[in-house]
Amino acid sequence: MTIISNLAPIPELFVSYDSAQKMKLEAAELTSHDLSPRQICDLELLMNGGFNPLKGFLSEEDYNGVVENMRLSTGELWPMPITLDVSEDFAASLEIGQDIALRDQEGVILGTMTVTDRWEPNKALEAEKVFGADDDAHPAVNYLHNQAGKIYLGGPVTGIQQPVHYDFRARRDTPNEMRAYFRKMGWRKVVAFQTRNPLHRAHQELTFRAAREAQANLLIHPVVGLTKPGDVDHFTRVRCYEAVLDKYPQATTSMSLLNLAMRMAGPREAVWHGLIRKNHGCTHFIVGRDHAGPGSNSQGEDFYGPYDAQDLFRAHQDEMGIEMVDFKHMVWVAERAQYEAIDEIKDKDKVTILNISGTELRRRLAEGLEIPEWFSFPEVVKELRRTKPPRSKQGFTVFFTGFSGSGKSTIANALMVKLMEMGGRPVTLLDGDIVRKNLSSELGFSKEHRDLNIRRIGYVASEITKNGGIAICAPIAPYATTRRAVREDVEAFGAFVEVHVATSIEECERRDRKGLYKLAREGKIKEFTGISDPYDVPASPELSVETENVDVDNCAHQVLLKLESMGLIAAN
Ligand code: PPS
């Protein structure tokens, strides 16, 4: 098969500028739906033709076909349900046939949709068919069950304006802008490379080789919408891509940013990615081992086989009109000081083959270790180090939890002073009492209020951690689920060190520093933790400290030793 793109414009869903101005005014009267970040990404690609042939969010019939066998009701191939999920209340407030305004998170109207369909999807079936398993360890299944609304709305979309992006504006192109660029440059064959990771030298070699083999030009087409949780942020990645772009021979290669919300759906995702690149005017698409793989399931096994994505793509490529190019696994051959495709090395037993895995790279970055030049370009390494300094320079949170009077605040204070003595990072103490005075003064001690209180502490701690400081929190935090949620908030930016101050309730009551236990026993304070309200003992804290017969200084020292063993403070 030889595909040469005709590069004619593809249909968009936008109305003309004048109509858009008029519609904006009229749409002010319509019922509004505030789009989630994922829906904004989907809407952008619907409106600009990236999701061609879709004309809006899927109708129920199209949805059923897509879930069942990757086909729209017209018979066309489309592997991913693009659905507008909403709450039951919002869905119930609408009439079929009604137009609704689709707004971004600041309230700007991006488009309208005529609601032709409203239904409650079988999410378990969608999970099984589209993502391969109804398992919340899959990020898209987790989203489906825990974030997406219960009801789907479908109907044609009318585009008013693109979502506004303030970052890297010059690097964002619609499918038709990309097509026009290829036309202008005379690029009739273009290999697209999809990525959500920084590019290193092996990627540069494999992409350039893929383009040479297909006698095509190359489009580096990274995803900057939503990727897998935990990925390097797109700001850092784009700065890295810009550095790598200079390494390709001039005028062979271009880069454009794609505001796609990935689903990590492996084989179906590969086909979807191919169709999106076809819409952008590309003729070839690189598919690697475990393309858009979500990692392992709750049993610790991979969701998809390593070559499932390639197989599904190959089976549909004629119909799609975009050709798959195999991703070559490139390794560094030390003796020849060059990258070679591993399956083409004839003298494997005579040469030294080097590679650095993603996990090993993260470890080296975290510990500030050397990253050799054969692996990555110095400009890329510099950017990554700027974003991810070694652990001993990153922010982190120490989260004390325990009964009232257990000694949390005293140990937290001692720890704060010791960390301040060391210097290097700002330290903030979010003690239970301080927080209740400054952040949560209107809250009481019901479960709901305690959760709110702890989530606020978690939010502030995560911001401090993100900005390179040390947050020390010392609330009771009696509920394990809330503590887990705070851990997740913080771990997006740095380490979370849970310290259980394991003083028994009997000892706390015996000490009764504030006289509160006596009042609680007399029923004068209701819902008192450990007396008339529950406390979930931490199942696996990073550290548990005993305070009976151990002085405060020693307890704080135990925490310091833990921090040192985790690489969070440098030993000296
Ligand atoms: S929580 O559950 O984490 O939101 O609690 P926290 O913000 O740490 O506040 C605990 C302090 O409030 C005082 N206090 C109570 N504690 C527990 N239960 C009830 N009903 C209660 N009422 C008042 C108590 O002094 C706690 O202070 P600490 O520093 O823990 O001794």
Side-chain angles (χ1 to χ4, degrees):
M1 176 174 71
T2 305
I3 297 169
I4 295 183
S5 176
N6 70 16
L7 296 177
I10 53 162
E12 297 183 352
L13 308 181
F14 291 111
V15 291
S16 68
Y17 178 79
D18 287 344
S19 311
Q21 298 313 308
K22 204 162 144 258
M23 275 183 74
K24 247 189 204 171
L25 293 176
E26 289 165 7
E29 305 287 312
L30 299 178
T31 302
S32 289
H33 170 65
D34 295 334
L35 298 155
S36 67
R38 185 166 112 171
Q39 291 169 346
I40 293 179
C41 291
D42 286 353
L43 181 65
E44 175 170 341
L45 285 156
L46 277 173
M47 295 192 301
N48 71 18
F51 288 169
N52 181 55
L54 302 192
K55 299 282 178 273
F57 288 98
L58 293 188
S59 67
E60 186 174 3
E61 192 188 357
D62 282 337
Y63 168 80
N64 288 336
V66 168
V67 168
E68 208 45 57
N69 56 12
M70 310 202 301
R71 300 264 162 207
L72 299 169
S73 51
T74 53
E76 289 162 298
L77 182 72
W78 189 264
M80 197 59 65
I82 305 298
T83 49
L84 190 69
D85 60 279
V86 299
S87 69
E88 281 176 292
D89 288 348
F90 181 73
S93 72
L94 303 173
E95 304 281 338
I96 293 298
Q98 183 178 340
D99 284 350
I100 57 172
L102 304 173
R103 293 177 189 266
D104 72 8
Q105 297 192 317
E106 284 168 19
V108 177
I109 298 174
L110 304 178
T112 63
M113 183 177 99
T114 307
V115 180
T116 57
D117 291 62
R118 171 180 51 199
W119 75 103
E120 183 175 345
N122 180 344
K123 290 189 176 179
L125 184 75
E126 180 179 332
E128 285 287 348
K129 293 273 185 186
V130 178
F131 304 111
D134 190 11
D135 181 341
D136 279 10
H138 191 299
V141 175
N142 184 32
Y143 181 94
L144 189 62
H145 289 308
N146 302 316
Q147 270 177 273
K150 213 171 166 189
I151 306 294
Y152 288 175
L153 302 178
V157 162
T158 304
I160 296 179
Q161 70 168 71
Q162 290 267 30
V164 181
H165 300 290
Y166 296 103
D167 56 334
F168 306 113
R169 281 182 119 131
R171 291 273 185 212
R172 296 174 186 265
D173 304 280
T174 66
N176 280 330
E177 284 167 345
M178 218 58 251
R179 285 169 170 252
Y181 176 77
F182 296 154
R183 267 201 313 272
K184 181 170 165 185
M185 299 299 285
W187 292 9
R188 300 305 300 274
K189 283 163 88 188
V190 180
V191 178
F193 182 62
Q194 135 86 34
T195 183
R196 40 169 266 267
N197 287 312
L199 296 186
H200 301 293
R201 287 195 57 174
H203 300 105
Q204 196 265 337
E205 294 281 346
L206 87 87
T207 49
F208 187 61
R209 188 185 262 249
R212 212 173 39 209
E213 277 172 19
Q215 297 185 4
N217 290 91
L218 179 64
L219 174 68
I220 308 292
H221 210 195
V223 171
V224 295
L226 303 177
T227 62
K228 196 174 155 190
D231 281 347
V232 177
D233 68 88
H234 82 265
F235 299 101
T236 306
R237 284 192 287 117
V238 176
R239 291 194 298 270
C240 291
Y241 301 140
E242 288 184 331
V244 178
L245 209 55
D246 293 341
K247 312 291 175 192
Y248 291 94
Q250 256 198 343
T252 58
T253 304
S254 185
M255 177 180 64
S256 177
L257 308 179
L258 181 68
N259 198 38
L260 174 71
M262 290 181 71
R263 316 298 210 248
M264 309 308 300
R268 280 193 183 227
E269 182 113 2
V271 173
W272 187 40
H273 287 175
L275 290 170
I276 295 166
R277 272 45 182 237
K278 163 87 198 303
N279 287 330
H280 283 77
C282 302
T283 52
H284 295 73
F285 184 63
I286 300 174
V287 182
R289 196 180 176 281
D290 195 25
H291 185 97
S296 26
N297 63 19
S298 47
Q299 264 74 56
E301 292 150 10
D302 284 349
F303 276 93
Y304 313 115
Y307 299 105
D308 289 0
Q310 292 189 344
D311 293 345
L312 194 72
F313 198 108
R314 202 176 286 112
H316 292 91
Q317 63 178 352
D318 287 349
E319 181 180 358
M320 287 159 71
I322 183 164
E323 195 175 333
M324 184 176 88
V325 181
D326 268 354
F327 180 107
K328 297 268 186 299
H329 183 49
M330 307 297 292
V331 289
W332 180 252
V333 181
E335 284 75 6
R336 293 194 276 273
Q338 65 183 11
Y339 273 94
E340 295 178 22
I342 188 135
D343 50 6
E344 290 168 14
I345 302 176
K346 302 273 181 305
D347 52 353
K348 280 199 192 72
D349 47 347
K350 295 199 189 70
V351 291
T352 319
I353 291 175
L354 298 175
N355 198 9
I356 292 182
S357 68
T359 314
E360 173 62 10
L361 175 65
R362 279 190 290 278
R363 187 186 76 86
R364 290 188 185 206
L365 284 171
E367 295 179 22
L369 301 174
E370 193 226 344
I371 295 167
E373 269 202 42
W374 62 259
F375 177 75
S376 196
F377 301 104
E379 301 92 324
V380 172
V381 175
K382 195 171 142 212
E383 276 305 333
L384 294 178
R385 286 203 200 280
R386 253 190 350 147
T387 308
K388 268 229 169 279
R391 283 194 129 196
S392 62
K393 294 204 165 64
Q394 283 175 24
F396 64 88
T397 292
V398 181
F399 192 96
F400 289 96
T401 166
F403 293 118
S404 169
S406 58
K408 302 181 301 289
S409 308
T410 324
I411 303 170
N413 262 297
L415 177 68
M416 175 174 74
V417 172
K418 283 174 188 287
L419 288 168
M420 288 170 90
E421 182 185 344
M422 287 179 182
R425 283 171 286 197
V427 190
T428 304
L429 178 60
L430 298 164
D431 190 23
D433 286 339
I434 302 174
V435 171
R436 282 195 171 264
K437 195 162 139 218
N438 295 298
L439 272 183
S440 295
S441 56
E442 85 286 19
L443 300 183
F445 289 88
S446 64
K447 175 163 192 323
E448 197 192 350
H449 278 194
R450 286 182 200 255
D451 279 352
L452 202 52
N453 181 40
I454 301 305
R455 293 305 295 256
R456 286 178 187 172
I457 294 175
Y459 173 71
V460 177
S462 71
E463 285 294 308
I464 291 170
T465 302
K466 179 169 88 184
N467 292 311
I470 300 173
I472 304 176
C473 314
I476 298 178
Y479 306 118
T481 44
T482 326
R483 292 195 301 259
R484 194 175 325 117
V486 171
R487 177 185 286 274
E488 281 170 17
D489 288 349
V490 171
E491 283 183 343
F493 305 110
F496 181 82
V497 185
E498 185 174 342
V499 181
H500 179 208
V501 182
T503 317
S504 66
I505 189 74
E506 294 78 19
E507 175 66 12
C508 294
E509 188 167 3
R510 199 187 54 71
R511 292 179 192 167
D512 203 5
R513 290 237 168 76
K514 299 179 183 165
L516 298 175
Y517 283 93
K518 183 167 174 291
L519 296 174
R521 284 285 178 208
E522 291 166 5
K524 292 185 182 143
I525 303 180
K526 305 269 181 276
E527 301 174 309
F528 197 85
T529 307
I531 304 294
S532 43
D533 213 57
Y535 178 81
D536 302 338
V537 174
S540 46
E542 273 69 14
L543 181 70
S544 182
V545 288
E546 301 293 334
T547 63
E548 288 157 58
N549 307 319
V550 186
D551 68 21
V552 173
D553 204 64
N554 186 299
C555 292
H557 191 66
Q558 287 179 47
V559 181
L560 279 184
L561 289 176
K562 185 74 206 173
L563 298 177
E564 195 185 309
S565 75
M566 292 173 74
L568 294 167
I569 50 177
N572 52 23

